[in-house]
Amino acid sequence: MAEASALPTGFGELEVLAVGMVLLVEALSGLSLNTLTIFSFCKTPELRTPCHLLVLSLALADSGISLNALIAATSSLLRRWPYGSDGCQAHGFQGFVTALASICSSAAIAWGRYHHYCTRSQLAWNSAISLVLFVWLSSTFWAALPLLGWGHYDYEPLGTCCTLDYSKGDRNFTSFLFTMSFFNFAMPLFITITSYSLMEQKLGKSGHLQVPALIAKMVPTINAINYALGNEMVCRGIWQCLSPQKSEKDRAK
């Protein structure tokens, strides 16, 4: 793995700083919104349901993506990668685990909503816990494979953060990319589209659903707005967390 230079070849100082500032905004907004969602889940009993456990899993994954982006932002503002080769491998692994967990958690939420609205039965705790465990164990498994030699983590073009090395076109990386993409992109996408399509057919309602570094790191903020702040009960829980005196009065009543 090549060492990152002080200033990436082909990029000016202003470009690197601009990327760092964008990443910093994305990281802080994603961390703030998703931390608020996690905090509200922990503090509000009404949110501790199997369906909301899936949203909690997504918030945890997206918080991890935002933390990964924060490290990338810091490196971009420093205009170098200060954590060495081992740090690059750890950064790539952590970012890939949380990215895969975010994708699979979104698919799990879609399936959970289909189950709730179309079967008219509550999602059981054991089913929700099993789904969350599967999401994180599967994501960890696939993210660990590049560390074991199938696939490879390396610096991104700016040299200030690390991810899968998409520049490699050898058989090893190509086989990993296609296999991983089938199980972690194609299948979750199929589950998500099928779940919402069946919901649309049954309920007559519709909904909608995108990976360069900057776009991918906006996902935590989008997910927080879509799945957490767009949920009336979660918003109520967040409001209670932000208004402790009010919630105490409500409980007293």
Side-chain angles (χ1 to χ4, degrees):
M1 179 170 62
E3 290 292 330
S5 58
L7 196 64
T9 305
F11 294 93
E13 187 163 342
L14 278 178
E15 291 173 297
V16 178
L17 289 175
V19 168
M21 290 305 298
V22 171
L23 284 171
L24 185 61
V25 171
E26 292 175 351
L28 293 178
S29 61
L31 271 175
S32 301
L33 291 172
N34 285 290
T35 299
L36 202 53
T37 301
I38 295 166
F39 184 66
S40 66
F41 181 90
C42 296
K43 297 290 288 185
T44 310
E46 294 87 350
L47 293 181
R48 295 176 203 151
T49 66
C51 284
H52 286 117
L53 181 65
L54 303 180
V55 177
L56 176 66
S57 174
L58 179 64
L60 288 169
D62 287 343
S63 295
I65 296 175
S66 296
L67 184 61
N68 190 273
L70 187 61
I71 295 172
T74 303
S75 301
S76 295
L77 295 175
L78 290 173
R79 297 180 297 285
R80 64 186 180 86
W81 177 258
Y83 308 109
S85 296
D86 290 341
C88 180
Q89 295 297 300
H91 186 251
F93 172 75
Q94 185 270 342
F96 202 36
V97 167
T98 51
L100 293 180
S102 178
I103 292 168
C104 294
S105 292
S106 297
I109 290 171
W111 180 84
R113 288 182 172 179
Y114 161 77
H115 182 274
H116 178 76
Y117 290 109
C118 295
T119 67
R120 297 296 180 184
S121 60
Q122 292 291 330
L123 184 65
W125 271 109
N126 59 350
S127 298
I129 293 171
S130 297
L131 267 175
V132 170
L133 286 175
F134 175 79
V135 163
W136 285 94
L137 289 174
S138 172
S139 300
T140 302
F141 169 76
W142 286 101
L145 290 177
L147 298 176
L148 301 175
W150 196 23
H152 184 62
Y153 293 120
D154 207 343
Y155 299 104
E156 289 186 353
L158 275 177
T160 54
C161 57
C162 298
T163 185
L164 283 176
D165 185 2
Y166 294 100
S167 66
K168 286 187 175 296
D170 57 13
R171 183 177 298 178
N172 175 286
F173 183 76
T174 302
S175 63
F176 170 75
L177 185 63
F178 277 97
T179 308
M180 180 274 299
S181 297
F182 174 76
F183 286 105
N184 295 284
F185 293 99
M187 286 187 67
L189 183 62
F190 173 77
I191 291 169
T192 301
I193 292 174
T194 302
S195 297
Y196 285 123
S197 296
L198 291 173
M199 284 175 61
E200 182 178 1
Q201 291 174 17
K202 191 169 183 69
L203 304 177
K205 297 180 180 178
S206 60
H208 282 162
L209 287 179
Q210 171 184 23
V211 217
L214 293 182
I215 296 175
K217 289 178 174 67
M218 259 320 271
V219 169
T221 303
I222 296 169
N223 281 341
I225 294 170
N226 184 30
Y227 290 109
L229 300 184
N231 184 301
E232 183 181 352
M233 189 174 289
V234 175
C235 284
R236 211 159 47 231
I238 290 173
W239 177 250
Q240 287 180 13
C241 290
L242 294 177
S243 310
Q245 292 180 341
K246 184 177 184 297
S247 61
E248 285 173 13
K249 289 179 183 177
D250 291 340
R251 281 194 289 270
K253 291 179 182 178

